[in-house]
Amino acid sequence: MRSAVGDSGDIRAAACFLPPPLWRREKNNEGALINNYSTPSEETRTQTQNVSETSSAVSQVLTDCIAAVPTEPRDKFHVVFIGSGWSFDAATMRYRAHNIIEALALAGLEGTFVVQQDVPSQLSKILSHDLIVLVRRVRDDTLTALIGMARRRGVPIVFDIDDYIFDPWIMPYVEAFQDREGRARYLRLMDELGACLDQCYYFTGSTSYLADKAAALGKESFVIHNGLNAEQLLKSQLAREQRDLHRRGPGTRLGYFSGTRTHQADFRVVYPSVMHLLREDPDLRLTIVGQLDLDVFPGLALFRDQIDLLPICDWRELPAVIAGVDINLIPLELTPFNEGKSNLKYYEAGLVEVPSIASPTRILRESITHGHNGLLAQTTEQWYDGIKDLIARPDWRRQLGRNALEHVLRTYSPAATAAEAVGVYRQILGLHRDRRDVPNQILNIILLIADAAGEWEQAVQRANELAALGHIVTLYLAPGKTVDSASVLEKAISRLFLETLFTVQLGGEIPCCDVLIAVDPLASNLAKTNQHRARVTIADADRLSTILGIGRALESLLRNWVQNGTAAHRPGQAA
């Protein structure tokens, strides 16, 4: 598989926002929460409109690049993408959902997008699809229930993402996550993204690097590159035709499209070379688009009259802005996080025949053949020599741009996206039909509740998550104090979840099981009395606190305890 594209617009400063944890439970407030979302249609759902305003040349580009991928009726399948309606996620949703939906349509296949807060009201519609893709989603009760229901119906669930932020260890390498006050939120975000991935058997990512990292976590992993939509092709064709209108005076113009402030460290890679080149050539200009803080780079202060600062622009306007430069700069620190980024900046520039000089991350090495459709540079000397050579040889520079355009149209057109996505989704559907849809080891887990008025909600949430992973989970309500309030407790549980994935048992004999857990102090004696029925018994508050607070590692911990019973220290044994 070829390796990928797809930066989603980086890690936005707003990425720390998690879905409100109680939005589904507090149904009276649901309307207010929905009002906080901007609908995807504002950024992404109208991508193929306004196509009629094109020249014959633009139409020819579409004819050449959007060739339908024939699909036999017997091979048809339907895909639903669950994603975000937040405006700051619009770029991710465009590349990881809407562009793929547009591409699937070329193959005669149906794709649907559902905003996550609409999942409860569209459950039957979602579960009628053949494949469900969770686009950059964190674990929550709604998705846990959806995953459990899909698993019981034999519908494969795919986790999709375009940034390497599903492993908390990566946080030191993410510049956007260095805010001290927000670190706890950022860690929670990463952990919950990883927890959602844990609940899925399949993974699709925008680069082979991301797919490798997910595969290391035991997932069946595939690459679907970020690709272009029809409107991007049209806007870029028009920008090429009108290139002279976008130029800003004589001289060679370098372009750096930083986007958010999260690229301060990346610009340091090219900063010394750019500073020296501006000093040597008074006609050289630098265009910076985005939120780069030039105060961090005092060496550029003497050349401010050679620098144009432009704000972040809408993606529809971006082709015209890129067409106004001669050389596109893609400097990146060579960190594990940046290795997961796409080559989005390469192919956006190539689409308007602007050659790039880039840091040699894996995806950029795969995309750029040095000296043919761009240049690669790692050291300060390589950056300086490469940029200077592009400035001195305009004819060669333009040839690199033409070669980049040819490569981009061949590799990232809607037709290419359609062929790749159809192939990947068919593989996943085939694997899912062939596999026994169960984890390697199913655990039989029983949670004992003897005090219905106690603190049981967190334990029950964990129970539902374990059930969604395919384990057999029973919530046992002890007779006696719980009997009078059992119906109240069951109603409370039903309000807590979109669908309860575990079984509720009121009284009777406690079944044999792998793990027996006392949820409250009153249930502790009952657990100890019945510990002979379990391979592992958890009847003390400290161990209960451990398993409730361990997060996404809970399943692995319980499996380890069951396989190595001494690690759990049964009641009565020395810890």
Side-chain angles (χ1 to χ4, degrees), residues 383-417:
W383 276 100
Y384 175 84
D385 292 341
I387 297 172
K388 189 165 186 177
D389 209 10
L390 288 170
I391 294 170
R393 301 171 61 188
D395 290 343
W396 179 58
R397 184 176 74 221
R398 285 188 285 271
Q399 184 60 52
L400 295 185
R402 287 190 290 271
N403 293 342
L405 172 63
E406 180 183 345
H407 174 252
V408 169
L409 291 178
R410 184 176 64 249
T411 311
Y412 304 112
S413 68
T417 299

PDB file of all heavy atoms in Angstrom, residues 383-417:
ATOM      1  N   TRP A 383      18.953  22.896   3.028  1.00  0.00           N
ATOM      2  CA  TRP A 383      17.858  23.845   2.818  1.00  0.00           C
ATOM      3  C   TRP A 383      18.368  25.070   2.040  1.00  0.00           C
ATOM      4  O   TRP A 383      17.740  25.510   1.077  1.00  0.00           O
ATOM      5  CB  TRP A 383      17.266  24.287   4.162  1.00  0.00           C
ATOM      6  CG  TRP A 383      16.243  23.332   4.698  1.00  0.00           C
ATOM      7  CD1 TRP A 383      16.412  22.384   5.664  1.00  0.00           C
ATOM      8  CD2 TRP A 383      14.868  23.227   4.285  1.00  0.00           C
ATOM      9  NE1 TRP A 383      15.244  21.690   5.877  1.00  0.00           N
ATOM     10  CE2 TRP A 383      14.276  22.189   5.052  1.00  0.00           C
ATOM     11  CE3 TRP A 383      14.095  23.893   3.351  1.00  0.00           C
ATOM     12  CZ2 TRP A 383      12.937  21.824   4.907  1.00  0.00           C
ATOM     13  CZ3 TRP A 383      12.756  23.536   3.194  1.00  0.00           C
ATOM     14  CH2 TRP A 383      12.194  22.510   3.964  1.00  0.00           C
ATOM     15  N   TYR A 384      19.486  25.594   2.471  1.00  0.00           N
ATOM     16  CA  TYR A 384      20.036  26.787   1.813  1.00  0.00           C
ATOM     17  C   TYR A 384      20.356  26.494   0.350  1.00  0.00           C
ATOM     18  O   TYR A 384      19.936  27.231  -0.551  1.00  0.00           O
ATOM     19  CB  TYR A 384      21.294  27.248   2.559  1.00  0.00           C
ATOM     20  CG  TYR A 384      22.008  28.403   1.891  1.00  0.00           C
ATOM     21  CD1 TYR A 384      21.610  29.719   2.116  1.00  0.00           C
ATOM     22  CD2 TYR A 384      23.085  28.163   1.024  1.00  0.00           C
ATOM     23  CE1 TYR A 384      22.255  30.768   1.482  1.00  0.00           C
ATOM     24  CE2 TYR A 384      23.731  29.206   0.390  1.00  0.00           C
ATOM     25  CZ  TYR A 384      23.316  30.512   0.622  1.00  0.00           C
ATOM     26  OH  TYR A 384      23.958  31.557  -0.005  1.00  0.00           O
ATOM     27  N   ASP A 385      21.086  25.410   0.097  1.00  0.00           N
ATOM     28  CA  ASP A 385      21.488  25.089  -1.278  1.00  0.00           C
ATOM     29  C   ASP A 385      20.274  24.780  -2.148  1.00  0.00           C
ATOM     30  O   ASP A 385      20.207  25.179  -3.318  1.00  0.00           O
ATOM     31  CB  ASP A 385      22.445  23.899  -1.287  1.00  0.00           C
ATOM     32  CG  ASP A 385      23.792  24.224  -0.669  1.00  0.00           C
ATOM     33  OD1 ASP A 385      24.114  25.432  -0.558  1.00  0.00           O
ATOM     34  OD2 ASP A 385      24.517  23.276  -0.293  1.00  0.00           O
ATOM     35  N   GLY A 386      19.317  24.064  -1.601  1.00  0.00           N
ATOM     36  CA  GLY A 386      18.145  23.682  -2.369  1.00  0.00           C
ATOM     37  C   GLY A 386      17.305  24.885  -2.776  1.00  0.00           C
ATOM     38  O   GLY A 386      16.899  25.011  -3.938  1.00  0.00           O
ATOM     39  N   ILE A 387      17.028  25.771  -1.815  1.00  0.00           N
ATOM     40  CA  ILE A 387      16.229  26.963  -2.127  1.00  0.00           C
ATOM     41  C   ILE A 387      16.975  27.850  -3.118  1.00  0.00           C
ATOM     42  O   ILE A 387      16.395  28.369  -4.080  1.00  0.00           O
ATOM     43  CB  ILE A 387      15.890  27.741  -0.840  1.00  0.00           C
ATOM     44  CG1 ILE A 387      15.033  26.891   0.100  1.00  0.00           C
ATOM     45  CG2 ILE A 387      15.150  29.035  -1.181  1.00  0.00           C
ATOM     46  CD1 ILE A 387      14.813  27.515   1.467  1.00  0.00           C
ATOM     47  N   LYS A 388      18.286  28.008  -2.908  1.00  0.00           N
ATOM     48  CA  LYS A 388      19.071  28.883  -3.791  1.00  0.00           C
ATOM     49  C   LYS A 388      19.083  28.337  -5.215  1.00  0.00           C
ATOM     50  O   LYS A 388      18.993  29.095  -6.188  1.00  0.00           O
ATOM     51  CB  LYS A 388      20.493  29.022  -3.254  1.00  0.00           C
ATOM     52  CG  LYS A 388      21.299  30.089  -3.988  1.00  0.00           C
ATOM     53  CD  LYS A 388      22.545  30.467  -3.214  1.00  0.00           C
ATOM     54  CE  LYS A 388      23.252  31.633  -3.897  1.00  0.00           C
ATOM     55  NZ  LYS A 388      24.435  32.079  -3.121  1.00  0.00           N
ATOM     56  N   ASP A 389      19.182  27.009  -5.328  1.00  0.00           N
ATOM     57  CA  ASP A 389      19.180  26.400  -6.654  1.00  0.00           C
ATOM     58  C   ASP A 389      17.832  26.612  -7.352  1.00  0.00           C
ATOM     59  O   ASP A 389      17.768  26.884  -8.554  1.00  0.00           O
ATOM     60  CB  ASP A 389      19.464  24.901  -6.515  1.00  0.00           C
ATOM     61  CG  ASP A 389      20.150  24.331  -7.740  1.00  0.00           C
ATOM     62  OD1 ASP A 389      20.576  25.124  -8.615  1.00  0.00           O
ATOM     63  OD2 ASP A 389      20.275  23.099  -7.839  1.00  0.00           O
ATOM     64  N   LEU A 390      16.741  26.502  -6.599  1.00  0.00           N
ATOM     65  CA  LEU A 390      15.415  26.726  -7.184  1.00  0.00           C
ATOM     66  C   LEU A 390      15.235  28.183  -7.618  1.00  0.00           C
ATOM     67  O   LEU A 390      14.601  28.465  -8.635  1.00  0.00           O
ATOM     68  CB  LEU A 390      14.329  26.337  -6.173  1.00  0.00           C
ATOM     69  CG  LEU A 390      14.147  24.840  -5.908  1.00  0.00           C
ATOM     70  CD1 LEU A 390      13.222  24.613  -4.718  1.00  0.00           C
ATOM     71  CD2 LEU A 390      13.611  24.127  -7.143  1.00  0.00           C
ATOM     72  N   ILE A 391      15.809  29.100  -6.856  1.00  0.00           N
ATOM     73  CA  ILE A 391      15.732  30.515  -7.216  1.00  0.00           C
ATOM     74  C   ILE A 391      16.520  30.784  -8.497  1.00  0.00           C
ATOM     75  O   ILE A 391      16.059  31.497  -9.402  1.00  0.00           O
ATOM     76  CB  ILE A 391      16.271  31.398  -6.075  1.00  0.00           C
ATOM     77  CG1 ILE A 391      15.351  31.297  -4.846  1.00  0.00           C
ATOM     78  CG2 ILE A 391      16.393  32.863  -6.519  1.00  0.00           C
ATOM     79  CD1 ILE A 391      15.922  31.943  -3.595  1.00  0.00           C
ATOM     80  N   ALA A 392      17.711  30.172  -8.601  1.00  0.00           N
ATOM     81  CA  ALA A 392      18.613  30.463  -9.728  1.00  0.00           C
ATOM     82  C   ALA A 392      18.183  29.788 -11.027  1.00  0.00           C
ATOM     83  O   ALA A 392      18.615  30.210 -12.112  1.00  0.00           O
ATOM     84  CB  ALA A 392      20.035  30.016  -9.362  1.00  0.00           C
ATOM     85  N   ARG A 393      17.350  28.760 -10.943  1.00  0.00           N
ATOM     86  CA  ARG A 393      16.990  27.989 -12.137  1.00  0.00           C
ATOM     87  C   ARG A 393      15.467  27.975 -12.317  1.00  0.00           C
ATOM     88  O   ARG A 393      14.801  26.976 -12.058  1.00  0.00           O
ATOM     89  CB  ARG A 393      17.526  26.571 -12.022  1.00  0.00           C
ATOM     90  CG  ARG A 393      19.046  26.508 -11.871  1.00  0.00           C
ATOM     91  CD  ARG A 393      19.501  25.092 -11.542  1.00  0.00           C
ATOM     92  NE  ARG A 393      19.142  24.155 -12.606  1.00  0.00           N
ATOM     93  CZ  ARG A 393      19.290  22.828 -12.500  1.00  0.00           C
ATOM     94  NH1 ARG A 393      19.779  22.315 -11.366  1.00  0.00           N
ATOM     95  NH2 ARG A 393      18.942  22.031 -13.486  1.00  0.00           N
ATOM     96  N   PRO A 394      14.890  29.070 -12.757  1.00  0.00           N
ATOM     97  CA  PRO A 394      13.430  29.156 -12.863  1.00  0.00           C
ATOM     98  C   PRO A 394      12.824  28.138 -13.826  1.00  0.00           C
ATOM     99  O   PRO A 394      11.720  27.636 -13.576  1.00  0.00           O
ATOM    100  CB  PRO A 394      13.187  30.594 -13.324  1.00  0.00           C
ATOM    101  CG  PRO A 394      14.484  31.060 -13.895  1.00  0.00           C
ATOM    102  CD  PRO A 394      15.541  30.339 -13.145  1.00  0.00           C
ATOM    103  N   ASP A 395      13.510  27.826 -14.928  1.00  0.00           N
ATOM    104  CA  ASP A 395      12.955  26.853 -15.865  1.00  0.00           C
ATOM    105  C   ASP A 395      12.864  25.462 -15.217  1.00  0.00           C
ATOM    106  O   ASP A 395      11.869  24.752 -15.381  1.00  0.00           O
ATOM    107  CB  ASP A 395      13.819  26.782 -17.127  1.00  0.00           C
ATOM    108  CG  ASP A 395      13.702  28.038 -17.980  1.00  0.00           C
ATOM    109  OD1 ASP A 395      12.728  28.798 -17.770  1.00  0.00           O
ATOM    110  OD2 ASP A 395      14.581  28.265 -18.837  1.00  0.00           O
ATOM    111  N   TRP A 396      13.927  25.085 -14.527  1.00  0.00           N
ATOM    112  CA  TRP A 396      13.926  23.790 -13.809  1.00  0.00           C
ATOM    113  C   TRP A 396      12.855  23.787 -12.730  1.00  0.00           C
ATOM    114  O   TRP A 396      12.142  22.792 -12.539  1.00  0.00           O
ATOM    115  CB  TRP A 396      15.310  23.564 -13.217  1.00  0.00           C
ATOM    116  CG  TRP A 396      15.458  22.288 -12.434  1.00  0.00           C
ATOM    117  CD1 TRP A 396      15.232  21.014 -12.890  1.00  0.00           C
ATOM    118  CD2 TRP A 396      15.885  22.164 -11.083  1.00  0.00           C
ATOM    119  NE1 TRP A 396      15.480  20.101 -11.892  1.00  0.00           N
ATOM    120  CE2 TRP A 396      15.886  20.783 -10.769  1.00  0.00           C
ATOM    121  CE3 TRP A 396      16.265  23.081 -10.097  1.00  0.00           C
ATOM    122  CZ2 TRP A 396      16.254  20.299  -9.513  1.00  0.00           C
ATOM    123  CZ3 TRP A 396      16.639  22.607  -8.855  1.00  0.00           C
ATOM    124  CH2 TRP A 396      16.628  21.225  -8.567  1.00  0.00           C
ATOM    125  N   ARG A 397      12.732  24.905 -12.037  1.00  0.00           N
ATOM    126  CA  ARG A 397      11.717  25.040 -10.984  1.00  0.00           C
ATOM    127  C   ARG A 397      10.316  24.810 -11.547  1.00  0.00           C
ATOM    128  O   ARG A 397       9.508  24.088 -10.975  1.00  0.00           O
ATOM    129  CB  ARG A 397      11.838  26.436 -10.372  1.00  0.00           C
ATOM    130  CG  ARG A 397      10.914  26.704  -9.210  1.00  0.00           C
ATOM    131  CD  ARG A 397      11.214  28.075  -8.653  1.00  0.00           C
ATOM    132  NE  ARG A 397      10.719  29.152  -9.515  1.00  0.00           N
ATOM    133  CZ  ARG A 397      11.384  30.269  -9.778  1.00  0.00           C
ATOM    134  NH1 ARG A 397      12.597  30.452  -9.284  1.00  0.00           N
ATOM    135  NH2 ARG A 397      10.853  31.199 -10.553  1.00  0.00           N
ATOM    136  N   ARG A 398      10.049  25.416 -12.691  1.00  0.00           N
ATOM    137  CA  ARG A 398       8.730  25.259 -13.299  1.00  0.00           C
ATOM    138  C   ARG A 398       8.506  23.816 -13.762  1.00  0.00           C
ATOM    139  O   ARG A 398       7.384  23.299 -13.697  1.00  0.00           O
ATOM    140  CB  ARG A 398       8.557  26.245 -14.449  1.00  0.00           C
ATOM    141  CG  ARG A 398       8.309  27.678 -13.963  1.00  0.00           C
ATOM    142  CD  ARG A 398       7.942  28.602 -15.112  1.00  0.00           C
ATOM    143  NE  ARG A 398       9.102  28.960 -15.926  1.00  0.00           N
ATOM    144  CZ  ARG A 398       9.885  30.013 -15.685  1.00  0.00           C
ATOM    145  NH1 ARG A 398       9.642  30.800 -14.642  1.00  0.00           N
ATOM    146  NH2 ARG A 398      10.912  30.271 -16.470  1.00  0.00           N
ATOM    147  N   GLN A 399       9.571  23.146 -14.221  1.00  0.00           N
ATOM    148  CA  GLN A 399       9.436  21.749 -14.626  1.00  0.00           C
ATOM    149  C   GLN A 399       9.109  20.866 -13.425  1.00  0.00           C
ATOM    150  O   GLN A 399       8.275  19.949 -13.508  1.00  0.00           O
ATOM    151  CB  GLN A 399      10.721  21.259 -15.296  1.00  0.00           C
ATOM    152  CG  GLN A 399      10.632  19.825 -15.833  1.00  0.00           C
ATOM    153  CD  GLN A 399       9.546  19.672 -16.872  1.00  0.00           C
ATOM    154  OE1 GLN A 399       9.490  20.421 -17.848  1.00  0.00           O
ATOM    155  NE2 GLN A 399       8.638  18.715 -16.667  1.00  0.00           N
ATOM    156  N   LEU A 400       9.757  21.138 -12.299  1.00  0.00           N
ATOM    157  CA  LEU A 400       9.428  20.398 -11.079  1.00  0.00           C
ATOM    158  C   LEU A 400       7.955  20.587 -10.727  1.00  0.00           C
ATOM    159  O   LEU A 400       7.275  19.640 -10.290  1.00  0.00           O
ATOM    160  CB  LEU A 400      10.306  20.867  -9.909  1.00  0.00           C
ATOM    161  CG  LEU A 400      11.813  20.609  -9.981  1.00  0.00           C
ATOM    162  CD1 LEU A 400      12.479  21.044  -8.683  1.00  0.00           C
ATOM    163  CD2 LEU A 400      12.110  19.153 -10.274  1.00  0.00           C
ATOM    164  N   GLY A 401       7.463  21.813 -10.884  1.00  0.00           N
ATOM    165  CA  GLY A 401       6.054  22.086 -10.594  1.00  0.00           C
ATOM    166  C   GLY A 401       5.126  21.311 -11.510  1.00  0.00           C
ATOM    167  O   GLY A 401       4.100  20.778 -11.065  1.00  0.00           O
ATOM    168  N   ARG A 402       5.474  21.229 -12.801  1.00  0.00           N
ATOM    169  CA  ARG A 402       4.651  20.470 -13.742  1.00  0.00           C
ATOM    170  C   ARG A 402       4.665  18.981 -13.399  1.00  0.00           C
ATOM    171  O   ARG A 402       3.634  18.299 -13.464  1.00  0.00           O
ATOM    172  CB  ARG A 402       5.129  20.694 -15.179  1.00  0.00           C
ATOM    173  CG  ARG A 402       4.771  22.074 -15.726  1.00  0.00           C
ATOM    174  CD  ARG A 402       5.045  22.171 -17.219  1.00  0.00           C
ATOM    175  NE  ARG A 402       6.469  22.167 -17.525  1.00  0.00           N
ATOM    176  CZ  ARG A 402       7.222  23.262 -17.590  1.00  0.00           C
ATOM    177  NH1 ARG A 402       6.691  24.463 -17.364  1.00  0.00           N
ATOM    178  NH2 ARG A 402       8.502  23.175 -17.894  1.00  0.00           N
ATOM    179  N   ASN A 403       5.832  18.486 -13.015  1.00  0.00           N
ATOM    180  CA  ASN A 403       5.928  17.078 -12.625  1.00  0.00           C
ATOM    181  C   ASN A 403       5.120  16.801 -11.352  1.00  0.00           C
ATOM    182  O   ASN A 403       4.506  15.737 -11.211  1.00  0.00           O
ATOM    183  CB  ASN A 403       7.383  16.683 -12.405  1.00  0.00           C
ATOM    184  CG  ASN A 403       8.194  16.696 -13.686  1.00  0.00           C
ATOM    185  OD1 ASN A 403       7.633  16.675 -14.779  1.00  0.00           O
ATOM    186  ND2 ASN A 403       9.521  16.744 -13.553  1.00  0.00           N
ATOM    187  N   ALA A 404       5.145  17.759 -10.429  1.00  0.00           N
ATOM    188  CA  ALA A 404       4.358  17.604  -9.205  1.00  0.00           C
ATOM    189  C   ALA A 404       2.868  17.560  -9.534  1.00  0.00           C
ATOM    190  O   ALA A 404       2.117  16.741  -8.972  1.00  0.00           O
ATOM    191  CB  ALA A 404       4.660  18.745  -8.235  1.00  0.00           C
ATOM    192  N   LEU A 405       2.428  18.426 -10.444  1.00  0.00           N
ATOM    193  CA  LEU A 405       1.020  18.434 -10.835  1.00  0.00           C
ATOM    194  C   LEU A 405       0.615  17.088 -11.418  1.00  0.00           C
ATOM    195  O   LEU A 405      -0.434  16.529 -11.051  1.00  0.00           O
ATOM    196  CB  LEU A 405       0.764  19.550 -11.850  1.00  0.00           C
ATOM    197  CG  LEU A 405      -0.637  19.555 -12.494  1.00  0.00           C
ATOM    198  CD1 LEU A 405      -1.708  19.784 -11.439  1.00  0.00           C
ATOM    199  CD2 LEU A 405      -0.704  20.612 -13.587  1.00  0.00           C
ATOM    200  N   GLU A 406       1.439  16.561 -12.295  1.00  0.00           N
ATOM    201  CA  GLU A 406       1.122  15.269 -12.910  1.00  0.00           C
ATOM    202  C   GLU A 406       1.004  14.178 -11.846  1.00  0.00           C
ATOM    203  O   GLU A 406       0.080  13.351 -11.865  1.00  0.00           O
ATOM    204  CB  GLU A 406       2.209  14.914 -13.924  1.00  0.00           C
ATOM    205  CG  GLU A 406       1.972  13.580 -14.624  1.00  0.00           C
ATOM    206  CD  GLU A 406       3.110  13.218 -15.569  1.00  0.00           C
ATOM    207  OE1 GLU A 406       3.920  14.114 -15.900  1.00  0.00           O
ATOM    208  OE2 GLU A 406       3.186  12.043 -15.973  1.00  0.00           O
ATOM    209  N   HIS A 407       1.937  14.178 -10.904  1.00  0.00           N
ATOM    210  CA  HIS A 407       1.919  13.173  -9.836  1.00  0.00           C
ATOM    211  C   HIS A 407       0.684  13.322  -8.947  1.00  0.00           C
ATOM    212  O   HIS A 407       0.028  12.334  -8.588  1.00  0.00           O
ATOM    213  CB  HIS A 407       3.196  13.296  -8.993  1.00  0.00           C
ATOM    214  CG  HIS A 407       3.199  12.402  -7.790  1.00  0.00           C
ATOM    215  ND1 HIS A 407       3.063  12.883  -6.501  1.00  0.00           N
ATOM    216  CD2 HIS A 407       3.283  11.049  -7.679  1.00  0.00           C
ATOM    217  CE1 HIS A 407       3.109  11.886  -5.655  1.00  0.00           C
ATOM    218  NE2 HIS A 407       3.237  10.759  -6.334  1.00  0.00           N
ATOM    219  N   VAL A 408       0.349  14.549  -8.600  1.00  0.00           N
ATOM    220  CA  VAL A 408      -0.794  14.792  -7.718  1.00  0.00           C
ATOM    221  C   VAL A 408      -2.096  14.365  -8.387  1.00  0.00           C
ATOM    222  O   VAL A 408      -2.942  13.695  -7.774  1.00  0.00           O
ATOM    223  CB  VAL A 408      -0.847  16.284  -7.304  1.00  0.00           C
ATOM    224  CG1 VAL A 408      -2.170  16.603  -6.614  1.00  0.00           C
ATOM    225  CG2 VAL A 408       0.325  16.614  -6.386  1.00  0.00           C
ATOM    226  N   LEU A 409      -2.281  14.732  -9.664  1.00  0.00           N
ATOM    227  CA  LEU A 409      -3.513  14.363 -10.356  1.00  0.00           C
ATOM    228  C   LEU A 409      -3.636  12.848 -10.503  1.00  0.00           C
ATOM    229  O   LEU A 409      -4.738  12.294 -10.444  1.00  0.00           O
ATOM    230  CB  LEU A 409      -3.560  15.023 -11.733  1.00  0.00           C
ATOM    231  CG  LEU A 409      -3.738  16.544 -11.742  1.00  0.00           C
ATOM    232  CD1 LEU A 409      -3.730  17.071 -13.179  1.00  0.00           C
ATOM    233  CD2 LEU A 409      -5.020  16.960 -11.035  1.00  0.00           C
ATOM    234  N   ARG A 410      -2.517  12.186 -10.657  1.00  0.00           N
ATOM    235  CA  ARG A 410      -2.532  10.732 -10.815  1.00  0.00           C
ATOM    236  C   ARG A 410      -2.791  10.024  -9.487  1.00  0.00           C
ATOM    237  O   ARG A 410      -3.436   8.966  -9.450  1.00  0.00           O
ATOM    238  CB  ARG A 410      -1.188  10.271 -11.405  1.00  0.00           C
ATOM    239  CG  ARG A 410      -1.125   8.774 -11.715  1.00  0.00           C
ATOM    240  CD  ARG A 410       0.196   8.401 -12.380  1.00  0.00           C
ATOM    241  NE  ARG A 410       1.338   8.612 -11.511  1.00  0.00           N
ATOM    242  CZ  ARG A 410       2.256   9.552 -11.694  1.00  0.00           C
ATOM    243  NH1 ARG A 410       2.154  10.400 -12.706  1.00  0.00           N
ATOM    244  NH2 ARG A 410       3.281   9.662 -10.865  1.00  0.00           N
ATOM    245  N   THR A 411      -2.323  10.617  -8.382  1.00  0.00           N
ATOM    246  CA  THR A 411      -2.287   9.901  -7.111  1.00  0.00           C
ATOM    247  C   THR A 411      -3.394  10.313  -6.134  1.00  0.00           C
ATOM    248  O   THR A 411      -3.834   9.499  -5.319  1.00  0.00           O
ATOM    249  CB  THR A 411      -0.913  10.114  -6.429  1.00  0.00           C
ATOM    250  OG1 THR A 411       0.118   9.869  -7.377  1.00  0.00           O
ATOM    251  CG2 THR A 411      -0.742   9.194  -5.235  1.00  0.00           C
ATOM    252  N   TYR A 412      -3.839  11.562  -6.182  1.00  0.00           N
ATOM    253  CA  TYR A 412      -4.759  12.056  -5.166  1.00  0.00           C
ATOM    254  C   TYR A 412      -6.084  12.565  -5.729  1.00  0.00           C
ATOM    255  O   TYR A 412      -6.820  13.266  -5.060  1.00  0.00           O
ATOM    256  CB  TYR A 412      -4.076  13.159  -4.343  1.00  0.00           C
ATOM    257  CG  TYR A 412      -2.785  12.681  -3.732  1.00  0.00           C
ATOM    258  CD1 TYR A 412      -1.558  13.185  -4.158  1.00  0.00           C
ATOM    259  CD2 TYR A 412      -2.800  11.688  -2.768  1.00  0.00           C
ATOM    260  CE1 TYR A 412      -0.377  12.710  -3.621  1.00  0.00           C
ATOM    261  CE2 TYR A 412      -1.625  11.206  -2.228  1.00  0.00           C
ATOM    262  CZ  TYR A 412      -0.407  11.726  -2.652  1.00  0.00           C
ATOM    263  OH  TYR A 412       0.755  11.246  -2.132  1.00  0.00           O
ATOM    264  N   SER A 413      -6.394  12.203  -6.966  1.00  0.00           N
ATOM    265  CA  SER A 413      -7.670  12.589  -7.565  1.00  0.00           C
ATOM    266  C   SER A 413      -8.796  11.810  -6.893  1.00  0.00           C
ATOM    267  O   SER A 413      -8.560  10.785  -6.224  1.00  0.00           O
ATOM    268  CB  SER A 413      -7.663  12.283  -9.058  1.00  0.00           C
ATOM    269  OG  SER A 413      -7.653  10.878  -9.263  1.00  0.00           O
ATOM    270  N   PRO A 414     -10.043  12.248  -7.061  1.00  0.00           N
ATOM    271  CA  PRO A 414     -11.158  11.472  -6.521  1.00  0.00           C
ATOM    272  C   PRO A 414     -11.184  10.037  -7.021  1.00  0.00           C
ATOM    273  O   PRO A 414     -11.559   9.125  -6.276  1.00  0.00           O
ATOM    274  CB  PRO A 414     -12.380  12.267  -6.989  1.00  0.00           C
ATOM    275  CG  PRO A 414     -11.890  13.677  -7.077  1.00  0.00           C
ATOM    276  CD  PRO A 414     -10.484  13.565  -7.585  1.00  0.00           C
ATOM    277  N   ALA A 415     -10.784   9.819  -8.286  1.00  0.00           N
ATOM    278  CA  ALA A 415     -10.763   8.456  -8.810  1.00  0.00           C
ATOM    279  C   ALA A 415      -9.762   7.597  -8.045  1.00  0.00           C
ATOM    280  O   ALA A 415     -10.027   6.431  -7.737  1.00  0.00           O
ATOM    281  CB  ALA A 415     -10.423   8.468 -10.301  1.00  0.00           C
ATOM    282  N   ALA A 416      -8.576   8.162  -7.740  1.00  0.00           N
ATOM    283  CA  ALA A 416      -7.575   7.413  -6.980  1.00  0.00           C
ATOM    284  C   ALA A 416      -8.076   7.117  -5.572  1.00  0.00           C
ATOM    285  O   ALA A 416      -7.883   6.017  -5.049  1.00  0.00           O
ATOM    286  CB  ALA A 416      -6.266   8.202  -6.928  1.00  0.00           C
ATOM    287  N   THR A 417      -8.721   8.093  -4.953  1.00  0.00           N
ATOM    288  CA  THR A 417      -9.290   7.879  -3.620  1.00  0.00           C
ATOM    289  C   THR A 417     -10.356   6.797  -3.664  1.00  0.00           C
ATOM    290  O   THR A 417     -10.433   5.936  -2.769  1.00  0.00           O
ATOM    291  CB  THR A 417      -9.892   9.185  -3.081  1.00  0.00           C
ATOM    292  OG1 THR A 417      -8.867  10.172  -2.976  1.00  0.00           O
ATOM    293  CG2 THR A 417     -10.523   8.976  -1.713  1.00  0.00           C
TER     294      THR A 417
END
